mmCIF file of all heavy atoms in Angstrom:
data_model
loop_
_atom_site.group_PDB
_atom_site.id
_atom_site.type_symbol
_atom_site.label_atom_id
_atom_site.label_comp_id
_atom_site.label_asym_id
_atom_site.label_seq_id
_atom_site.Cartn_x
_atom_site.Cartn_y
_atom_site.Cartn_z
ATOM 1 N N TRP A 251 4.833 -10.711 8.522
ATOM 2 C CA TRP A 251 5.557 -11.977 8.488
ATOM 3 C C TRP A 251 5.068 -12.984 9.508
ATOM 4 O O TRP A 251 5.605 -14.088 9.604
ATOM 5 C CB TRP A 251 7.056 -11.722 8.673
ATOM 6 C CG TRP A 251 7.626 -10.863 7.581
ATOM 7 C CD1 TRP A 251 7.421 -11.020 6.255
ATOM 8 C CD2 TRP A 251 8.453 -9.719 7.731
ATOM 9 N NE1 TRP A 251 8.077 -10.043 5.548
ATOM 10 C CE2 TRP A 251 8.721 -9.228 6.437
ATOM 11 C CE3 TRP A 251 8.996 -9.057 8.815
ATOM 12 C CZ2 TRP A 251 9.510 -8.107 6.210
ATOM 13 C CZ3 TRP A 251 9.792 -7.950 8.576
ATOM 14 C CH2 TRP A 251 10.041 -7.487 7.288
ATOM 15 N N GLY A 252 4.071 -12.633 10.324
ATOM 16 C CA GLY A 252 3.513 -13.578 11.274
ATOM 17 C C GLY A 252 4.288 -13.737 12.561
ATOM 18 O O GLY A 252 3.846 -14.435 13.466
ATOM 19 N N ALA A 253 5.447 -13.129 12.682
ATOM 20 C CA ALA A 253 6.271 -13.225 13.901
ATOM 21 C C ALA A 253 6.421 -11.841 14.513
ATOM 22 O O ALA A 253 6.754 -10.896 13.813
ATOM 23 C CB ALA A 253 7.641 -13.801 13.585
ATOM 24 N N SER A 254 6.160 -11.760 15.802
ATOM 25 C CA SER A 254 6.244 -10.491 16.500
ATOM 26 C C SER A 254 7.663 -10.293 17.061
ATOM 27 O O SER A 254 8.158 -11.113 17.807
ATOM 28 C CB SER A 254 5.250 -10.464 17.662
ATOM 29 O OG SER A 254 5.387 -9.286 18.410
ATOM 30 N N LEU A 255 8.299 -9.211 16.625
ATOM 31 C CA LEU A 255 9.597 -8.832 17.197
ATOM 32 C C LEU A 255 9.400 -7.509 17.919
ATOM 33 O O LEU A 255 8.816 -6.573 17.366
ATOM 34 C CB LEU A 255 10.648 -8.680 16.087
ATOM 35 C CG LEU A 255 11.025 -9.980 15.384
ATOM 36 C CD1 LEU A 255 11.909 -9.710 14.162
ATOM 37 C CD2 LEU A 255 11.739 -10.919 16.344
ATOM 38 N N PRO A 256 9.874 -7.396 19.163
ATOM 39 C CA PRO A 256 9.568 -6.222 19.986
ATOM 40 C C PRO A 256 10.102 -4.907 19.443
ATOM 41 O O PRO A 256 9.639 -3.846 19.823
ATOM 42 C CB PRO A 256 10.187 -6.551 21.342
ATOM 43 C CG PRO A 256 11.156 -7.640 21.075
ATOM 44 C CD PRO A 256 10.682 -8.367 19.881
ATOM 45 N N TYR A 257 11.056 -4.947 18.540
ATOM 46 C CA TYR A 257 11.614 -3.716 17.973
ATOM 47 C C TYR A 257 11.109 -3.458 16.553
ATOM 48 O O TYR A 257 11.487 -2.447 15.960
ATOM 49 C CB TYR A 257 13.147 -3.740 18.004
ATOM 50 C CG TYR A 257 13.737 -4.964 17.321
ATOM 51 C CD1 TYR A 257 13.990 -4.953 15.944
ATOM 52 C CD2 TYR A 257 14.030 -6.106 18.035
ATOM 53 C CE1 TYR A 257 14.517 -6.060 15.311
ATOM 54 C CE2 TYR A 257 14.559 -7.220 17.422
ATOM 55 C CZ TYR A 257 14.793 -7.189 16.055
ATOM 56 O OH TYR A 257 15.309 -8.297 15.426
ATOM 57 N N LEU A 258 10.274 -4.321 16.029
ATOM 58 C CA LEU A 258 9.653 -4.102 14.713
ATOM 59 C C LEU A 258 8.169 -3.885 14.922
ATOM 60 O O LEU A 258 7.323 -4.724 14.629
ATOM 61 C CB LEU A 258 9.917 -5.272 13.767
ATOM 62 C CG LEU A 258 11.355 -5.443 13.289
ATOM 63 C CD1 LEU A 258 11.483 -6.679 12.401
ATOM 64 C CD2 LEU A 258 11.837 -4.196 12.564
ATOM 65 N N VAL A 259 7.868 -2.710 15.499
ATOM 66 C CA VAL A 259 6.500 -2.321 15.845
ATOM 67 C C VAL A 259 6.114 -1.099 15.016
ATOM 68 O O VAL A 259 6.963 -0.443 14.415
ATOM 69 C CB VAL A 259 6.396 -2.006 17.352
ATOM 70 C CG1 VAL A 259 6.659 -3.255 18.191
ATOM 71 C CG2 VAL A 259 7.338 -0.878 17.759
ATOM 72 N N ALA A 260 4.854 -0.792 15.028
ATOM 73 C CA ALA A 260 4.366 0.379 14.284
ATOM 74 C C ALA A 260 4.837 1.663 14.966
ATOM 75 O O ALA A 260 4.708 1.816 16.183
ATOM 76 C CB ALA A 260 2.834 0.353 14.230
ATOM 77 N N VAL A 261 5.423 2.561 14.174
ATOM 78 C CA VAL A 261 5.839 3.877 14.666
ATOM 79 C C VAL A 261 5.386 4.931 13.655
ATOM 80 O O VAL A 261 5.124 4.640 12.486
ATOM 81 C CB VAL A 261 7.368 3.984 14.918
ATOM 82 C CG1 VAL A 261 7.816 2.979 15.961
ATOM 83 C CG2 VAL A 261 8.160 3.846 13.619
ATOM 84 N N ASP A 262 5.330 6.168 14.121
ATOM 85 C CA ASP A 262 4.969 7.287 13.255
ATOM 86 C C ASP A 262 6.029 7.493 12.182
ATOM 87 O O ASP A 262 7.232 7.457 12.463
ATOM 88 C CB ASP A 262 4.822 8.559 14.096
ATOM 89 C CG ASP A 262 4.534 9.763 13.202
ATOM 90 O OD1 ASP A 262 3.409 9.847 12.682
ATOM 91 O OD2 ASP A 262 5.446 10.590 13.010
ATOM 92 N N SER A 263 5.580 7.710 10.955
ATOM 93 C CA SER A 263 6.475 8.077 9.846
ATOM 94 C C SER A 263 5.714 9.027 8.940
ATOM 95 O O SER A 263 5.705 8.877 7.726
ATOM 96 C CB SER A 263 6.951 6.821 9.111
ATOM 97 O OG SER A 263 8.031 7.138 8.257
ATOM 98 N N SER A 264 5.049 9.992 9.554
ATOM 99 C CA SER A 264 4.148 10.894 8.823
ATOM 100 C C SER A 264 4.858 11.760 7.790
ATOM 101 O O SER A 264 4.196 12.273 6.874
ATOM 102 C CB SER A 264 3.336 11.757 9.783
ATOM 103 O OG SER A 264 4.166 12.442 10.675
ATOM 104 N N THR A 265 6.182 11.898 7.890
ATOM 105 C CA THR A 265 6.871 12.650 6.837
ATOM 106 C C THR A 265 6.762 11.946 5.490
ATOM 107 O O THR A 265 6.919 12.579 4.445
ATOM 108 C CB THR A 265 8.357 12.849 7.194
ATOM 109 O OG1 THR A 265 8.949 11.571 7.440
ATOM 110 C CG2 THR A 265 8.511 13.752 8.404
ATOM 111 N N ASP A 266 6.468 10.652 5.489
ATOM 112 C CA ASP A 266 6.307 9.908 4.241
ATOM 113 C C ASP A 266 5.142 10.410 3.398
ATOM 114 O O ASP A 266 5.110 10.207 2.183
ATOM 115 C CB ASP A 266 6.103 8.412 4.522
ATOM 116 C CG ASP A 266 7.345 7.732 5.043
ATOM 117 O OD1 ASP A 266 8.387 8.411 5.202
ATOM 118 O OD2 ASP A 266 7.297 6.526 5.277
ATOM 119 N N LEU A 267 4.182 11.061 4.021
ATOM 120 C CA LEU A 267 3.013 11.543 3.290
ATOM 121 C C LEU A 267 3.399 12.575 2.238
ATOM 122 O O LEU A 267 2.637 12.819 1.287
ATOM 123 C CB LEU A 267 1.977 12.150 4.250
ATOM 124 C CG LEU A 267 1.464 11.224 5.354
ATOM 125 C CD1 LEU A 267 0.518 11.971 6.282
ATOM 126 C CD2 LEU A 267 0.802 10.001 4.750
ATOM 127 N N GLN A 268 4.585 13.156 2.351
ATOM 128 C CA GLN A 268 5.077 14.131 1.388
ATOM 129 C C GLN A 268 6.011 13.516 0.327
ATOM 130 O O GLN A 268 6.551 14.243 -0.495
ATOM 131 C CB GLN A 268 5.822 15.274 2.118
ATOM 132 C CG GLN A 268 5.011 15.931 3.215
ATOM 133 C CD GLN A 268 3.666 16.424 2.739
ATOM 134 O OE1 GLN A 268 3.565 17.095 1.713
ATOM 135 N NE2 GLN A 268 2.607 16.090 3.461
ATOM 136 N N ALA A 269 6.191 12.216 0.368
ATOM 137 C CA ALA A 269 7.118 11.556 -0.545
ATOM 138 C C ALA A 269 6.647 11.613 -1.997
ATOM 139 O O ALA A 269 5.445 11.577 -2.275
ATOM 140 C CB ALA A 269 7.298 10.083 -0.137
ATOM 141 N N ASP A 270 7.624 11.682 -2.879
ATOM 142 C CA ASP A 270 7.308 11.554 -4.316
ATOM 143 C C ASP A 270 6.668 10.192 -4.537
ATOM 144 O O ASP A 270 7.142 9.186 -3.991
ATOM 145 C CB ASP A 270 8.577 11.665 -5.156
ATOM 146 C CG ASP A 270 9.244 13.017 -5.038
ATOM 147 O OD1 ASP A 270 8.536 14.011 -4.751
ATOM 148 O OD2 ASP A 270 10.476 13.096 -5.242
ATOM 149 N N HIS A 271 5.625 10.139 -5.289
ATOM 150 C CA HIS A 271 4.919 8.890 -5.641
ATOM 151 C C HIS A 271 4.346 8.178 -4.414
ATOM 152 O O HIS A 271 4.210 6.959 -4.406
ATOM 153 C CB HIS A 271 5.823 7.963 -6.424
ATOM 154 C CG HIS A 271 6.485 8.614 -7.578
ATOM 155 N ND1 HIS A 271 5.792 9.061 -8.686
ATOM 156 C CD2 HIS A 271 7.780 8.966 -7.788
ATOM 157 C CE1 HIS A 271 6.636 9.619 -9.531
ATOM 158 N NE2 HIS A 271 7.845 9.599 -9.003
ATOM 159 N N TYR A 272 3.993 8.944 -3.373
ATOM 160 C CA TYR A 272 3.359 8.365 -2.190
ATOM 161 C C TYR A 272 2.062 7.664 -2.566
ATOM 162 O O TYR A 272 1.759 6.585 -2.081
ATOM 163 C CB TYR A 272 3.094 9.461 -1.153
ATOM 164 C CG TYR A 272 2.077 9.103 -0.109
ATOM 165 C CD1 TYR A 272 2.389 8.221 0.923
ATOM 166 C CD2 TYR A 272 0.778 9.612 -0.162
ATOM 167 C CE1 TYR A 272 1.449 7.866 1.867
ATOM 168 C CE2 TYR A 272 -0.160 9.267 0.791
ATOM 169 C CZ TYR A 272 0.183 8.395 1.793
ATOM 170 O OH TYR A 272 -0.764 8.038 2.725
ATOM 171 N N GLU A 273 1.266 8.309 -3.424
ATOM 172 C CA GLU A 273 -0.023 7.720 -3.847
ATOM 173 C C GLU A 273 0.036 7.403 -5.328
ATOM 174 O O GLU A 273 0.409 8.239 -6.142
ATOM 175 C CB GLU A 273 -1.141 8.729 -3.571
ATOM 176 C CG GLU A 273 -2.519 8.182 -3.922
ATOM 177 C CD GLU A 273 -3.625 9.136 -3.543
ATOM 178 O OE1 GLU A 273 -3.983 9.203 -2.364
ATOM 179 O OE2 GLU A 273 -4.110 9.862 -4.445
ATOM 180 N N VAL A 274 -0.318 6.159 -5.657
ATOM 181 C CA VAL A 274 -0.307 5.687 -7.040
ATOM 182 C C VAL A 274 -1.599 4.901 -7.275
ATOM 183 O O VAL A 274 -2.049 4.145 -6.403
ATOM 184 C CB VAL A 274 0.911 4.775 -7.309
ATOM 185 C CG1 VAL A 274 0.859 4.158 -8.681
ATOM 186 C CG2 VAL A 274 2.204 5.560 -7.130
ATOM 187 N N THR A 275 -2.223 5.078 -8.440
ATOM 188 C CA THR A 275 -3.455 4.379 -8.751
ATOM 189 C C THR A 275 -3.241 3.429 -9.939
ATOM 190 O O THR A 275 -2.734 3.842 -10.986
ATOM 191 C CB THR A 275 -4.595 5.370 -9.088
ATOM 192 O OG1 THR A 275 -4.814 6.217 -7.959
ATOM 193 C CG2 THR A 275 -5.881 4.641 -9.430
ATOM 194 N N LEU A 276 -3.633 2.168 -9.753
ATOM 195 C CA LEU A 276 -3.623 1.163 -10.794
ATOM 196 C C LEU A 276 -5.041 1.064 -11.330
ATOM 197 O O LEU A 276 -5.984 0.982 -10.547
ATOM 198 C CB LEU A 276 -3.181 -0.206 -10.209
ATOM 199 C CG LEU A 276 -3.363 -1.422 -11.094
ATOM 200 C CD1 LEU A 276 -2.406 -1.389 -12.262
ATOM 201 C CD2 LEU A 276 -3.142 -2.692 -10.256
ATOM 202 N N THR A 277 -5.213 1.038 -12.652
ATOM 203 C CA THR A 277 -6.545 0.948 -13.252
ATOM 204 C C THR A 277 -6.661 -0.378 -13.997
ATOM 205 O O THR A 277 -5.804 -0.725 -14.799
ATOM 206 C CB THR A 277 -6.757 2.118 -14.242
ATOM 207 O OG1 THR A 277 -6.554 3.338 -13.566
ATOM 208 C CG2 THR A 277 -8.165 2.081 -14.834
ATOM 209 N N LEU A 278 -7.723 -1.139 -13.686
ATOM 210 C CA LEU A 278 -8.013 -2.417 -14.342
ATOM 211 C C LEU A 278 -9.423 -2.349 -14.924
ATOM 212 O O LEU A 278 -10.358 -1.982 -14.233
ATOM 213 C CB LEU A 278 -7.944 -3.576 -13.341
ATOM 214 C CG LEU A 278 -6.620 -3.797 -12.616
ATOM 215 C CD1 LEU A 278 -6.803 -4.836 -11.524
ATOM 216 C CD2 LEU A 278 -5.556 -4.216 -13.595
ATOM 217 N N SER A 279 -9.572 -2.727 -16.188
ATOM 218 C CA SER A 279 -10.909 -2.766 -16.778
ATOM 219 C C SER A 279 -11.651 -3.990 -16.282
ATOM 220 O O SER A 279 -11.044 -4.965 -15.823
ATOM 221 C CB SER A 279 -10.812 -2.806 -18.312
ATOM 222 O OG SER A 279 -10.332 -4.062 -18.726
ATOM 223 N N SER A 280 -12.988 -3.967 -16.372
ATOM 224 C CA SER A 280 -13.754 -5.133 -15.933
ATOM 225 C C SER A 280 -13.411 -6.336 -16.807
ATOM 226 O O SER A 280 -13.477 -7.481 -16.351
ATOM 227 C CB SER A 280 -15.254 -4.842 -15.932
ATOM 228 O OG SER A 280 -15.670 -4.381 -17.193
ATOM 229 N N ALA A 281 -13.032 -6.137 -18.060
ATOM 230 C CA ALA A 281 -12.611 -7.242 -18.922
ATOM 231 C C ALA A 281 -11.341 -7.887 -18.378
ATOM 232 O O ALA A 281 -11.147 -9.094 -18.490
ATOM 233 C CB ALA A 281 -12.400 -6.753 -20.337
ATOM 234 N N GLN A 282 -10.470 -7.092 -17.794
ATOM 235 C CA GLN A 282 -9.223 -7.617 -17.226
ATOM 236 C C GLN A 282 -9.475 -8.500 -16.013
ATOM 237 O O GLN A 282 -8.709 -9.413 -15.756
ATOM 238 C CB GLN A 282 -8.266 -6.482 -16.839
ATOM 239 C CG GLN A 282 -7.634 -5.785 -18.033
ATOM 240 C CD GLN A 282 -6.823 -4.610 -17.577
ATOM 241 O OE1 GLN A 282 -7.358 -3.615 -17.123
ATOM 242 N NE2 GLN A 282 -5.517 -4.737 -17.691
ATOM 243 N N VAL A 283 -10.525 -8.238 -15.291
ATOM 244 C CA VAL A 283 -10.772 -9.045 -14.085
ATOM 245 C C VAL A 283 -11.816 -10.129 -14.301
ATOM 246 O O VAL A 283 -12.029 -10.961 -13.427
ATOM 247 C CB VAL A 283 -11.158 -8.143 -12.884
ATOM 248 C CG1 VAL A 283 -9.985 -7.310 -12.460
ATOM 249 C CG2 VAL A 283 -12.355 -7.283 -13.173
ATOM 250 N N HIS A 284 -12.461 -10.179 -15.461
ATOM 251 C CA HIS A 284 -13.334 -11.280 -15.886
ATOM 252 C C HIS A 284 -14.419 -11.699 -14.894
ATOM 253 O O HIS A 284 -14.593 -12.862 -14.618
ATOM 254 C CB HIS A 284 -12.510 -12.520 -16.216
ATOM 255 C CG HIS A 284 -11.373 -12.292 -17.131
ATOM 256 N ND1 HIS A 284 -11.512 -11.912 -18.429
ATOM 257 C CD2 HIS A 284 -10.038 -12.371 -16.921
ATOM 258 C CE1 HIS A 284 -10.322 -11.770 -18.989
ATOM 259 N NE2 HIS A 284 -9.426 -12.037 -18.074
ATOM 260 N N ALA A 285 -15.122 -10.774 -14.300
ATOM 261 C CA ALA A 285 -16.190 -11.151 -13.362
ATOM 262 C C ALA A 285 -17.167 -9.995 -13.185
ATOM 263 O O ALA A 285 -16.923 -8.891 -13.666
ATOM 264 C CB ALA A 285 -15.597 -11.527 -12.023
ATOM 265 N N ALA A 286 -18.261 -10.286 -12.497
ATOM 266 C CA ALA A 286 -19.222 -9.231 -12.175
ATOM 267 C C ALA A 286 -18.564 -8.284 -11.198
ATOM 268 O O ALA A 286 -18.311 -8.637 -10.050
ATOM 269 C CB ALA A 286 -20.486 -9.849 -11.580
ATOM 270 N N PRO A 287 -18.275 -7.078 -11.588
ATOM 271 C CA PRO A 287 -17.461 -6.173 -10.781
ATOM 272 C C PRO A 287 -18.045 -5.856 -9.407
ATOM 273 O O PRO A 287 -17.294 -5.689 -8.455
ATOM 274 C CB PRO A 287 -17.358 -4.904 -11.626
ATOM 275 C CG PRO A 287 -18.312 -5.048 -12.720
ATOM 276 C CD PRO A 287 -18.647 -6.493 -12.862
ATOM 277 N N GLU A 288 -19.355 -5.821 -9.292
ATOM 278 C CA GLU A 288 -19.962 -5.467 -8.017
ATOM 279 C C GLU A 288 -19.691 -6.515 -6.930
ATOM 280 O O GLU A 288 -19.795 -6.249 -5.753
ATOM 281 C CB GLU A 288 -21.491 -5.296 -8.154
ATOM 282 C CG GLU A 288 -21.913 -4.228 -9.150
ATOM 283 C CD GLU A 288 -21.831 -4.705 -10.603
ATOM 284 O OE1 GLU A 288 -21.997 -5.896 -10.883
ATOM 285 O OE2 GLU A 288 -21.576 -3.830 -11.452
#
């Protein structure tokens, strides 16, 4: 959000790595993005 608040800092939340749907992959074809993919 561009504003630093002293209590909204990065902290460990490594238990999240075991969450349901932690990792999700979106697939887009090159036709969907209309450009030279490289």
Side-chain angles (χ1 to χ4, degrees):
W251 299 313
S254 176
L255 293 171
Y257 55 87
L258 290 178
V259 296
V261 299
D262 176 71
S263 194
S264 55
T265 56
D266 289 1
L267 302 177
Q268 305 307 312
D270 296 334
H271 310 292
Y272 161 75
E273 183 176 280
V274 174
T275 300
L276 169 69
T277 304
L278 301 171
S279 70
S280 56
Q282 287 175 290
V283 293
H284 310 294
E288 301 79 30

